[in-house]
Amino acid sequence: MSDAMIIVLTAGLTATALALLGPFLVLRRVALMGDAVSHAVLPGIVAAFLVFQTRAPLVVILGAAAFALICVLAIEALRGTGLVASDAAIGLVFPALFALGVLGIHRYAANIHLDLDSTIYGEIAFAPFRTLDLGGVEVVRSVLIMGVVAAVNLGLITLLWKELKVTSFDPDFARSIRFSPTVVARLLLIAVAVTAVTAFESVGAILVVALLIVPAAAAYLMTDRLVAMVAIAVAIGWVSSVVGYAGAVEVDASIAGAMGLTAAVIFGIALLASPRHGLIARAVRRARTRRAVERALAEERGAQGAGA
Amino acid sequence: MSMARRLLPALVAIVVVVLLGAACASDSSTSGGDVGERPVRVTTTANFITDLAEVIGGERVEVTGLLGPGVDPHLYKASAGDVAALRDADVVFYGGLDLEGRMADVLDELSDDKPTIAVSEGIPDDRKRQPTEFEGKFDPHIWFSVPLWREAVDVVEQAYVELDPDNADGYRERADAYRAELEALDAEVRETLASIPDDKRVLVTSHDAFGYFGEEYDFEVVGIQGTSTATEATTADIDRVAGVIADRGLEAVFIESTVSPQTIRAVLAAAERRGQTARIGGELFADAAGERGTPEGTYIGMVRHNVGLIAEGLAPSGSR
Amino acid sequence: MGPLIDLLPLSYTESVVVVGAAVLGVAAGVLGALAVLPRRSLVGDALAHSALPGVAIAFLVTGARDPASLLVGAAIAGLIGAFMMVGIERTSRIRPDAAIGVVLSSFFSLGIVLLTYIGTTGNAQQAGLETYLFGQAAGLLERDVNVMAVIAALSIACVVLALRVIKTTLFDRSFAASVGVPVRVVELATTALLVAAIVIGLRAVGAILMVAMLIVPTVTARQLTHRLGPLLALAGVIGASVGATGALLSSRAEIPTGPVIVLVGTAVAVAAVLLAPGRGVVWRWAHRRRERRSALSSGVLIDLETALHAGPPPTVDELVLASARPRGDVRRGLRALDRAGLIERDDDRLRLSESGAAAAHAALDERRLWSAWLEHGWRLDLGDAREPDPRDLRRTLGDELTDRLLGFDAEAAPS
């Protein structure tokens, strides 16, 4: 298989893993969870490096995952008090964790290059070069990892489908039929944390943040059905991967950036042209209503004129 | 349960895609092996390594540099074309010692297919600087010491000779000539810097990249913060550096091409309060050489530029 | 700000940083409320990311790394980004957090594409374009402090002059429009001011501190008041104190300023969420616990009264049997009653004290009133359906209604 295929496949599987979760985050108003996690993992990396003195991917991922979990659970706890809105909760937690990481580096590692870019953030362009020897067969690591994560996420949302659906739309009703919205929310957030960290390692931060939000938001503009929303988000993720890669090759630019940009363009198209919620459809509907009202008024005036 | 059945095809699809991708890792022909008569394809990271690879390789090589001028290796973002550049190369030269961050893993894996060579590998450990906290984590900025960079010439020469033995003589000739040039450069640097009196041999920069320069040419290097760009300075750092400027009566400090000049300005303001007015003596090339085609675009030009600025800034006015 | 900086008994650098952090705190605190209340808290984060394409385009246009033009580029990109966020939110069903997320990731992706594109053009000036714009708190310059002071003054003036208008636009757009408030203009002006503050703040102290400083003061103030005017004033004060405290602490301890301010701010906000009187988590927990206890002790009191009514003074064990409560609960209830002097112990037999008997009767009355309310409350026909406080029906219903309620109950009683 060619390098291009591997890159597109890595991106597509990453997009699948993320787009399976993204719609629930968008519905729950915590779309920026991915961005929060991308900053909050810093203290985990510092801690892992201090304990094990290495930047080996597995150690780094474990350290990062620990703090990703702390981050999402702390946000959920703050939000759960009902005293802080979810967006403000995100904005309180991740700067604090990042600041902790910066202090850690200042105290223990000021004289080596230890930062997110040189430890956890991967680069999708290098996916074809990173292979793993599994019993004599050479496999592409990022494809394997992201494939497993995507499959696990698919299994998770399949198992929890009803619960996720109910708790995303109506937490009070969920409570009344004895689903615990907190437990479901926590499971979802744990999946987000683990997925984000493994995806950072494979494709870098910006692509993860973008693919978690943008396809889901675009899908939200296109449908009212949850199943359709998830499916459309995954599809947009794949289209962004393929088109973005082609675009990146065309202008010789960053692959992750081009993929994120493609997703943004698709969002723009959805915003304008979505059949139900798009700006054009709305404008047409509004114009039609206005014409109908005018016609009705004219007819009424005509009737009155005839009557007089 | 119906949902589970509905999603089953998707699960199967993912598994198939993964098996497809996992089972057949790239079969793209990696070159390597015998180069024969065609030019040797070389891929490099930082642009002063590109310069080195071109100088030693001469007509026999085609060099692709991944990092353009002005790109900090720590902040490098790959572009789509870099994949092919790595895949098609006969040999890859890079800085090593964690200069390239995450890319080091990739180059390590690539070494199964083709030689990937850190130009710093020929330098014995006792000539490398290491921070006190971490054993075995060396400062990667070796190119600021001309004699250390001379070691890199040997590494590149050796690699070319092994790869393309038919033309070994050419490589040896060019390497010898370049070593002579570097020796001359080293002498020139020492002579230029001789105009700076001992008590003024203090290089103030925003972060700690010039350690090897200081050791080689007898400068005290004062960075506002350590090597890490992920941490921040403290007010004590600012006051400490301002104190050095005031005590030593320094007239110039330097900014680096890859770090925000804000903290240096704060230091200057604090030094002014202590009665010592210093100026920014110019921008030093830190982690990358200048533009291709300009004098600063080569290693030698970059060193001359830096040393010229430093001498101009720190030498007493009369001697200039 | 010069005189103030000279006045402080600190080194010049420390004074600049302390004053600067305080001034930044005021501006970010007041303006932050205008972002946090409409759920756009993370606008600071989004603008930090959207600066990248602005800087890259400014560089492509001018071909040089000139700080002023890069700053202008970042500001323009920030403005466009902010207006896109508000636009997406207003014209579609996308909610603020997702709108911010979409703008953040789109702009940052564009920035990276542009950066790698510039990278292949081979212009050496591009070095550090992305880091060039972000400062750090310890490197604050007097000039930046002055600019921040102007922004802070402007935002305070703006808020004071237009509090009414801002309030109606924030909380009730359609009403505001209907009474002739130029909603768009107000929103445009406040957004522009916010963007200016954020972009300047990013250059002065960096992204993470800016994100935190926009959110912390409002979240904290919100726990202490629910009125907009006091909230804005409080947010300014909290921002200033957090900034100054963090800066002082960090220079005493010789650790990086920005992170310390962030952590001080987070601690303050979390403390407010936990401890705020009448609202905080701990307060609510203590309140619930108190209520549970008082319900328990009055229940045990009634049980004891009933037992005494039926026979000789019971032992604890007999009371447990009679009351059908877990033994631990009965013991806990008795301990509380003991402390209040409502019961007397005669060897191991329990009796009510004089005040205990009165309290038991009061509790019985209250229980009767409660069951009367549950059964006959609907017949009172409370006009505005204002629910009375279940813990104190007599006071909240008033004597007249209470008597009617007890009257219904007496009528219905079979005796």
Side-chain angles (χ1 to χ4, degrees):
Chain A
M1 202 166 32
S2 70
D3 292 341
M5 280 279 280
I6 290 173
I7 290 172
V8 169
L9 214 55
T10 302
L13 287 170
T14 308
T16 309
L18 293 165
L20 286 170
L21 306 175
F24 301 103
L25 298 185
V26 167
L27 288 172
R28 285 159 192 261
R29 305 182 176 219
V30 284
L32 281 157
M33 211 51 117
D35 184 53
V37 171
S38 77
H39 293 98
V41 294
L42 183 62
I45 285 157
V46 179
F49 184 78
L50 289 178
V51 174
F52 298 102
Q53 303 267 313
T54 166
R55 289 178 232 227
L58 189 64
V59 170
V60 166
I61 286 182
L62 286 180
F67 275 81
L69 288 178
I70 291 176
C71 171
V72 295
L73 295 179
I75 290 170
E76 178 61 20
L78 259 182
R79 207 188 57 87
T81 62
L83 301 176
V84 186
S86 48
D87 58 328
I90 291 177
L92 281 179
V93 171
F94 86 79
L97 287 173
F98 189 83
L100 212 59
V102 173
L103 289 184
I105 292 177
H106 178 262
R107 174 76 183 73
Y108 299 107
N111 287 316
I112 52 168
H113 269 292
L114 186 69
D115 53 31
L116 293 169
D117 280 309
S118 65
T119 49
I120 182 96
Y121 293 172
E123 166 60 63
I124 189 168
F126 299 146
F129 302 116
R130 306 181 59 213
T131 56
L132 200 65
D133 197 30
L134 272 190
V137 187
E138 217 183 346
V139 297
V140 179
R141 201 156 58 184
S142 54
V143 172
L144 184 69
I145 291 174
M146 289 327 298
V148 169
V149 173
V152 169
N153 285 354
L154 187 69
L156 186 79
I157 70 163
T158 312
L159 281 177
L160 290 179
W161 183 259
K162 238 184 290 170
E163 287 83 348
L164 279 169
K165 189 171 176 177
V166 171
T167 53
S168 296
F169 288 110
D170 193 347
D172 290 328
F173 173 67
R175 207 172 282 120
S176 75
I177 56 171
R178 293 211 272 165
F179 280 152
S180 165
T182 353
V183 172
V184 179
R186 274 189 205 145
L187 282 174
L188 175 70
L189 290 176
I190 290 170
V192 170
V194 173
T195 308
V197 169
T198 44
F200 291 152
E201 212 271 333
S202 293
V203 304
I206 178 58
L207 194 55
V208 176
V209 176
L211 289 180
L212 198 56
I213 304 173
V214 185
Y220 185 55
L221 287 172
M222 302 212 269
T223 176
D224 291 333
R225 289 183 54 223
L226 190 58
V227 183
M229 189 174 162
V230 172
I232 293 174
V234 172
I236 291 175
W238 277 93
V239 172
S240 307
S241 306
V242 174
V243 177
Y245 179 74
V249 171
E250 191 59 39
V251 293
D252 193 12
S254 157
I255 296 168
M259 288 173 176
L261 207 53
T262 313
V265 170
I266 295 176
F267 176 86
I269 294 171
L271 185 66
L272 287 176
S274 157
R276 289 200 58 178
H277 301 287
L279 296 183
I280 296 173
R282 276 192 192 192
V284 168
R285 262 204 306 276
R286 215 175 303 136
R288 219 176 271 155
T289 319
R290 200 184 309 129
R291 266 204 304 281
V293 170
E294 273 163 14
R295 211 178 306 127
L297 284 174
E299 272 168 23
E300 203 170 298
R301 260 199 302 277
Q304 277 170 358
Chain B
M1 222 57 257
S2 74
M3 185 53 63
R5 219 173 302 131
R6 221 181 306 167
L7 284 175
L8 198 65
L11 194 63
V12 172
I14 291 183
V15 171
V16 167
V17 165
V18 171
L19 286 180
L20 207 78
C24 3
S26 184
D27 56 6
S28 343
S29 64
T30 52
S31 38
D34 194 15
V35 289
E37 281 307 300
R38 68 171 172 80
V40 181
R41 287 193 293 259
V42 184
T43 296
T44 57
T45 57
N47 66 341
F48 43 84
I49 303 175
T50 313
D51 177 49
L52 179 64
E54 278 174 348
V55 170
I56 312 296
E59 306 267 283
R60 279 294 298 146
V61 301
E62 268 170 19
V63 184
T64 312
L66 297 182
L67 282 69
V71 177
D72 180 343
H74 310 301
L75 302 173
Y76 158 71
K77 302 256 186 302
S79 67
D82 296 353
V83 181
L86 284 173
R87 181 65 78 193
D88 299 340
D90 294 312
V91 59
V92 180
F93 292 119
Y94 64 106
L97 305 177
D98 283 335
L99 177 69
E100 282 87 0
R102 273 298 295 269
M103 217 168 115
D105 298 350
V106 174
L107 295 170
D108 195 40
E109 302 218 5
L110 209 56
S111 66
D112 292 345
D113 286 347
K114 63 189 71 176
T116 61
I117 294 163
V119 295
S120 60
E121 73 177 22
I123 299 170
D125 280 358
D126 60 345
R127 288 180 71 189
K128 290 185 241 172
R129 302 176 67 237
Q130 61 178 326
T132 43
E133 314 88 305
F134 296 104
E135 225 159 283
K137 301 279 170 199
F138 295 104
D139 179 353
H141 304 92
I142 51 151
W143 56 93
F144 290 115
S145 152
V146 179
L148 279 183
W149 194 240
R150 196 176 163 285
E151 305 286 327
V153 177
D154 300 355
V155 173
V156 174
E157 175 194 15
Q158 185 65 30
Y160 280 147
V161 169
E162 273 169 30
L163 203 67
D164 183 19
D166 297 348
N167 297 291
D169 291 347
Y171 296 122
R172 294 220 171 88
E173 223 166 84
R174 282 186 293 270
D176 284 339
Y178 196 56
R179 272 189 286 265
E181 260 188 85
L182 289 184
E183 259 155 49
L185 176 70
D186 188 44
E188 181 191 326
V189 167
R190 286 174 204 283
E191 196 193 309
T192 312
L193 294 176
S195 61
I196 306 172
D198 281 350
D199 63 326
K200 297 284 155 102
R201 290 177 94 94
V202 183
L203 185 65
V204 176
T205 59
S206 40
H207 92 301
D208 216 352
F210 289 86
Y212 289 105
F213 177 87
E215 275 183 10
E216 190 65 54
Y217 301 109
D218 197 18
F219 270 76
E220 189 182 327
V221 179
V222 180
I224 297 173
Q225 55 191 88
T227 319
S228 174
T229 40
T231 180
E232 289 190 8
T234 69
T235 49
D237 289 329
I238 307 277
D239 277 337
R240 168 179 55 85
V241 179
V244 171
I245 294 174
D247 294 347
R248 309 288 282 269
L250 302 179
E251 282 171 24
V253 297
F254 300 89
I255 53 179
E256 283 154 75
S257 47
T258 50
V259 183
S260 163
Q262 183 209 23
T263 48
I264 279 281
R265 296 230 163 84
V267 164
L268 290 185
E272 186 143 9
R273 285 285 167 137
R274 294 166 190 240
Q276 177 65 30
T277 309
R279 63 189 175 85
I280 292 179
E283 193 170 295
L284 303 178
F285 288 106
D287 290 338
E291 236 163 291
R292 211 180 174 78
T294 64
E296 292 82 24
T298 66
Y299 171 76
I300 291 179
M302 164 174 102
V303 171
R304 279 206 184 110
H305 169 91
N306 283 354
V307 168
L309 277 182
I310 292 169
E312 197 182 309
L314 294 177
S317 326
S319 73
R320 277 185 219 141
Chain C
M1 293 287 117
L4 184 56
I5 288 168
D6 292 334
L7 219 69
L8 290 178
L10 298 166
S11 85
Y12 171 73
T13 310
E14 287 167 352
S15 317
V16 171
V17 173
V18 170
V19 173
V23 170
L24 176 87
V26 174
V30 173
L31 291 172
L34 305 183
V36 175
L37 294 178
R39 294 180 149 241
R40 296 185 198 130
S41 305
L42 291 164
V43 62
D45 194 24
L47 294 198
H49 288 87
S50 69
L52 187 59
V55 168
I57 290 173
F59 177 75
L60 280 174
V61 171
T62 61
R65 201 180 36 176
D66 162 44
S69 60
L70 294 187
L71 192 66
V72 170
I76 292 174
L79 267 182
I80 295 174
F83 289 142
M84 276 174 78
M85 274 169 223
V86 178
I88 291 174
E89 191 188 316
R90 289 277 177 251
T91 58
S92 76
R93 65 199 309 227
I94 300 285
R95 285 181 299 222
D97 65 308
I100 287 177
V102 167
V103 168
L104 179 152
S105 27
S106 316
F107 274 57
F108 199 66
S109 298
L110 176 66
I112 289 183
V113 166
L114 287 173
L115 220 58
T116 43
Y117 170 73
I118 295 172
T120 55
T121 62
N123 184 331
Q125 281 272 317
Q126 63 170 305
L129 267 186
E130 66 262 62
T131 48
Y132 209 75
L133 208 66
F134 296 118
Q136 34 179 286
L140 268 169
L141 302 173
E142 207 175 327
R143 184 193 63 195
D144 291 340
V145 177
N146 290 334
V147 175
M148 286 309 307
V150 172
I151 293 268
L154 263 180
S155 49
I156 290 172
C158 184
V159 160
V160 168
L161 288 176
L163 184 62
R164 274 255 153 105
V165 181
I166 290 176
K167 198 184 212 162
T168 44
T169 11
L170 267 182
F171 298 112
D172 196 347
R173 277 174 57 84
S174 42
F175 171 72
S178 73
V179 295
V181 173
V183 177
R184 290 248 164 97
V185 177
V186 173
E187 207 160 49
L188 215 72
T190 48
T191 308
L193 199 56
L194 188 62
V195 170
I198 293 173
V199 171
I200 289 166
L202 288 176
R203 199 193 51 169
V205 302
I208 291 292
L209 179 54
M210 205 55 216
V211 171
M213 279 302 242
L214 285 170
I215 299 174
V216 162
T218 303
V219 168
T220 311
R222 183 67 191 79
Q223 310 309 319
L224 306 176
T225 175
H226 58 272
R227 295 179 45 225
L228 184 63
L231 184 142
L232 288 169
L234 211 54
V237 173
I238 292 168
S241 341
V242 165
T245 314
L248 274 174
L249 269 179
S250 73
S251 34
R252 284 288 144 266
E254 304 199 357
I255 45 182
T257 311
V260 175
I261 300 179
V262 170
L263 290 175
V264 168
T266 317
V268 167
V270 170
V273 167
L274 290 179
L275 303 175
R279 198 177 140 96
V281 173
V282 172
W283 194 93
R284 278 192 312 206
W285 174 78
H287 183 75
R288 263 204 302 276
R289 203 171 110 113
R290 237 185 350 259
E291 251 178 21
R292 242 192 340 262
R293 284 211 171 153
S294 94
L296 178 66
S297 60
S298 75
V300 172
L301 189 65
I302 290 173
D303 293 342
L304 181 57
E305 156 76 21
T306 318
L308 283 169
H309 209 70
T315 60
V316 175
D317 290 334
E318 284 165 0
L319 185 63
V320 170
L321 270 178
S323 70
R325 286 172 200 275
R327 176 179 297 270
D329 280 4
V330 174
R331 278 180 191 282
R332 245 191 313 265
L334 286 174
R335 260 204 304 280
L337 294 172
D338 240 345
R339 264 200 305 277
L342 299 182
I343 53 174
E344 287 164 352
R345 288 179 197 254
D346 190 4
D347 285 338
D348 55 346
R349 305 256 156 207
L350 299 161
R351 263 182 226 291
L352 288 172
S353 72
E354 211 167 292
S355 55
H361 282 125
L364 271 172
D365 281 350
E366 208 172 300
R367 184 181 273 190
R368 193 157 54 236
L369 185 59
W370 177 240
S371 56
W373 161 253
L374 288 182
E375 203 170 331
H376 306 291
W378 58 275
R379 290 162 74 180
L380 290 180
D381 207 14
L382 287 180
D384 55 359
R386 210 184 47 208
E387 282 287 311
D389 181 357
R391 279 158 305 182
D392 198 356
L393 282 172
R394 184 173 280 278
R395 193 178 53 77
T396 39
L397 281 176
D399 286 336
E400 194 206 321
L401 288 178
T402 312
D403 290 343
R404 272 178 63 199
L405 199 58
L406 290 173
F408 292 139
D409 195 40
E411 269 169 42
S415 67

